[in-house]
Amino acid sequence: MAPTMGAFLVVEAKKSREEEEIRLRKRNVELERELRKSQEREEEMRKELQRAWERLRIAEEAEERLCSQLGELEAESVHQAREYNARVLSLMDQISRTHLPQSSTSSSPALFQY
């Protein structure tokens, strides 16, 4: 009876090892599948990050161009305001020179009073 019992234990041990091996192989396949998915997600995130960096670079370049254009427009508006102010002062001077002699010699009221 001992040899049969021993053979049974050997067969059971072998069967148990085979089952463990099968279980480990299945687990290995699952882990490899999860690893591939993780690597795919990582690669997609890298691509998304690269696209975001590119959009950021483009936005920064656009901001620099807009700031430059804004500076040019501000300078131009200051120049135009100065020209406008000078023109207004010149016209006021012309008006005052043309109306001063008339107001002292004529009895009609001045057109412009300040």
Side-chain angles (χ1 to χ4, degrees):
M1 221 167 144
T4 307
M5 185 63 106
F8 177 74
L9 290 176
V10 169
V11 169
E12 283 297 314
K14 185 177 180 183
K15 185 177 177 183
S16 178
R17 280 194 310 266
E18 288 173 354
E19 288 173 352
E20 180 67 13
E21 187 177 317
I22 290 171
R23 187 186 67 75
L24 290 173
R25 286 181 194 273
K26 285 181 182 179
R27 180 66 180 143
N28 192 32
V29 168
E30 289 174 17
L31 291 173
E32 286 174 350
R33 184 173 34 245
E34 289 176 18
L35 176 63
R36 280 191 303 274
K37 286 181 183 178
S38 176
Q39 289 171 335
E40 289 170 1
R41 283 192 306 268
E42 181 181 355
E43 183 60 29
E44 185 58 36
M45 293 303 289
R46 274 196 187 107
K47 289 177 183 177
E48 188 175 330
L49 180 62
Q50 185 63 34
R51 289 188 298 265
W53 276 111
E54 183 62 21
R55 288 191 307 268
L56 176 63
R57 185 187 62 77
I58 290 169
E60 286 177 343
E61 288 176 0
E63 179 187 22
E64 288 177 16
R65 285 192 306 273
L66 288 173
C67 286
S68 174
Q69 291 173 356
L70 180 60
E72 291 171 3
L73 288 172
E74 286 175 343
E76 183 179 339
S77 68
V78 166
H79 178 71
Q80 288 178 355
R82 287 180 179 157
E83 285 181 345
Y84 176 78
N85 190 40
R87 179 72 176 143
V88 167
L89 292 175
S90 171
L91 290 172
M92 287 175 56
D93 185 49
Q94 288 177 10
I95 290 171
S96 66
R97 277 188 273 129
T98 58
H99 288 294
L100 281 180
Q102 289 178 355
S103 63
S104 63
T105 60
S106 73
S107 60
S108 65
L111 292 176
F112 298 100
Q113 294 181 357
Y114 299 102

